[in-house]
Amino acid sequence: MRLEHLRGHWLTSIVLRTDLEPSEAVVVLRSESAGVTLRLAGIVHTRTDIGSPDGDFVDQVVVRELPVDGPWPVEAHHLLHHHNNRSVLHWLTITGPSEVEIVAEKFSVGQVVSDRRSPST
């Protein structure tokens, strides 16, 4: 699933909660007027290379399903040792100046969060 509409957003936060059962990651992407929350539960792998503490421009957001049975895409072979043999896994990749890779059992896109700032006068 390509999330083309998120191109040009800013990666503003990633929160990993390993104290929850199942573990959870919440990724927030924002534009000038709105934002979106990507939620992943049942985390089996994370890798981040964050360039700027203030957020980075997003070039691409992609979520791929990694099947229980059958071949995984060649570009996901480095993740095979994370296969849990019981559920489809969701592989989120975010590219831009920063890179994010999260593999989890569940994935969802949250509601768009409006930015209700008053215009300057």
Side-chain angles (χ1 to χ4, degrees):
M1 166 190 327
R2 292 181 79 89
L3 300 169
E4 290 294 328
H5 64 285
L6 298 177
R7 180 182 171 94
H9 278 61
W10 289 85
L11 172 61
T12 57
S13 73
I14 299 173
V15 177
L16 297 171
R17 296 285 311 265
T18 58
D19 60 323
L20 298 175
E21 186 55 46
S23 56
E24 179 180 80
V26 178
V27 179
V28 177
L29 305 172
R30 295 190 72 57
S31 68
E32 286 185 18
S33 60
V36 66
T37 302
L38 308 176
R39 290 189 181 279
L40 298 103
I43 305 299
V44 297
H45 166 76
T46 61
R47 181 185 58 80
T48 60
D49 179 16
I50 305 297
S52 169
D54 297 326
D56 270 334
F57 187 76
V58 172
D59 288 325
Q60 185 177 41
V61 178
V62 178
V63 177
R64 297 174 187 98
E65 285 192 354
L66 303 174
V68 175
D69 299 319
W72 279 18
V74 172
E75 60 273 11
H77 282 187
H78 69 286
L79 299 169
L80 278 170
H81 64 284
H82 296 294
H83 196 305
N84 65 11
N85 294 316
R86 66 178 185 271
S87 67
V88 168
L89 296 176
H90 302 273
W91 177 29
L92 169 70
T93 56
I94 299 174
T95 56
S98 295
E99 293 185 11
V100 176
E101 175 179 73
I102 302 174
V103 179
E105 294 176 357
K106 295 180 181 175
F107 171 78
S108 63
V109 178
Q111 294 181 351
V112 173
V113 179
S114 296
D115 190 359
R116 304 262 185 219
R117 292 184 213 157
S118 302
S120 347
T121 55

